[in-house]
Amino acid sequence: MDASPLLFTLLSSSPVNVQLHGSLAYEGVGVASLLDMNPCRLTAVGREEVEQLETIVQRDAGLGVNNGAIWSATLYPSKPVEAVDVQPFVRPLRGNTHLFSMVGELPDIGNAERFPVGDHWPISCTDQERAFCLLQERMRKLWQRTRPDHEMRLALVADYAGRLETLGAHNFIYWDGELMFAYTSLEGGIEPLAYQVFSGGEVHLEGALPVRISAEEGSDMVVIASRSLLPASTPISAGSVVCFSGGRYVDCCDPVILWNT
């Protein structure tokens, strides 16, 4: 089995309820949800903790992790070093909750001169959380002068993805408080991301992440995930960033190729 984590994020136009109806054969799991911008996040490291998390998600133990307009999970075939390393990462910025998950290693991401993170210091020692901090710093600067539209934000995320691509192959999913962005690497060494659009009220997914998603009738939903979790999905083209809002596809930016960084 590939040791890379698998990513899964659901974005809906209305709050959903997500129930696990099977077992997770993984050594680590992270689950996060956002309801009215209020985050709930659970992590599990090792089989014993993963089984406990399964029980919580199956029974909806009143913690709120099953409900939200955003529901995200990261599945680890190999045991993470520490719980603090487990994604998805959740951080505040400008009064909104931002969510981020990434696959891939980025040597030299710690170069503070090339990749400044400002005051957004990571808690873990992972490349992925530092990459999140870097993206938040860039978003903070973008919002300083005006409220950027989706095209400005999409251009920033595409430029960011292109610059990180010079460090190594990577995929990521990012929620900026209003819009969702997803990027698939130009390189073929890691499993690409894909997306699938659904309409409410109920969706059943089987396989590596067996979940039952319940939503209001007429709700728009999109799932962005590692391709193996969504066999009937639309792949995200290599090097492209795709943008979503309220469960709908909004726009796409072609690959940004940087010859000089």
Side-chain angles (χ1 to χ4, degrees):
M1 178 183 287
D2 187 352
S4 297
L6 298 176
L7 308 183
F8 179 100
T9 298
L10 163 69
L11 173 64
S12 174
S13 61
S14 64
V16 301
N17 179 267
V18 180
Q19 293 288 332
L20 184 67
H21 60 90
S23 297
L24 301 174
Y26 294 93
E27 294 296 324
V29 176
V31 177
S33 64
L34 297 178
L35 180 61
D36 297 327
M37 291 301 99
N38 295 311
C40 180
R41 182 171 177 267
L42 298 176
T43 62
V45 176
R47 285 302 309 155
E48 182 177 351
E49 290 188 9
V50 170
E51 291 171 1
Q52 293 172 354
L53 186 145
E54 287 175 7
T55 301
I56 291 171
V57 178
Q58 285 169 348
R59 297 180 180 175
D60 191 3
L63 298 177
V65 74
N66 296 71
N67 302 297
I70 298 174
W71 193 90
S72 184
T74 305
L75 311 175
Y76 290 82
S78 298
K79 187 176 179 180
V81 176
E82 296 183 72
V84 72
D85 299 333
V86 176
Q87 304 178 69
F89 297 121
V90 175
R91 283 173 169 263
L93 182 67
R94 296 185 61 86
N96 284 321
T97 298
H98 291 220
L99 182 146
F100 184 87
S101 52
M102 173 183 279
V103 174
E105 303 300 323
L106 301 171
D108 205 36
I109 187 67
N111 185 328
E113 186 173 343
R114 282 186 70 191
F115 304 107
V117 299
D119 294 330
H120 309 281
W121 287 100
I123 298 172
S124 72
C125 296
T126 63
D127 294 349
Q128 296 78 26
E129 190 179 11
R130 192 170 185 91
F132 183 21
C133 294
L134 171 65
L135 182 50
Q136 282 199 297
E137 174 64 4
R138 294 195 169 196
M139 275 293 182
R140 182 191 68 79
K141 291 179 178 178
L142 182 66
W143 279 82
Q144 281 183 327
R145 296 182 180 178
T146 184
R147 184 183 186 279
D149 59 22
H150 90 269
E151 292 179 338
M152 295 174 67
R153 283 181 263 180
L154 181 58
L156 180 147
V157 174
D159 177 82
Y160 160 88
R163 292 181 186 279
L164 292 195
E165 191 73 23
T166 66
L167 302 181
H170 68 288
N171 302 334
F172 64 80
I173 302 171
Y174 169 58
W175 168 253
D176 77 347
E178 295 179 349
L179 301 172
M180 187 80 73
F181 302 90
Y183 172 76
T184 285
S185 177
L186 281 166
E187 301 294 331
I190 54 178
E191 182 178 349
L193 296 180
Y195 68 93
Q196 189 167 349
V197 176
F198 301 94
S199 295
E202 197 160 287
V203 175
H204 292 248
L205 297 179
E206 305 295 339
L209 184 61
V211 293
R212 182 182 297 108
I213 303 164
S214 302
E216 298 176 2
E217 289 295 334
S219 297
D220 296 311
M221 295 182 285
V222 61
V223 174
I224 308 148
S226 301
R227 183 68 188 275
S228 60
L229 297 179
L230 287 174
S233 55
T234 301
I236 296 175
S237 301
S240 298
V241 177
V242 183
C243 176
F244 305 90
S245 175
R248 294 184 178 184
Y249 173 95
V250 174
D251 206 348
C252 178
C253 187
D254 292 335
V256 173
I257 308 297
L258 300 173
W259 298 103
N260 296 302
T261 59

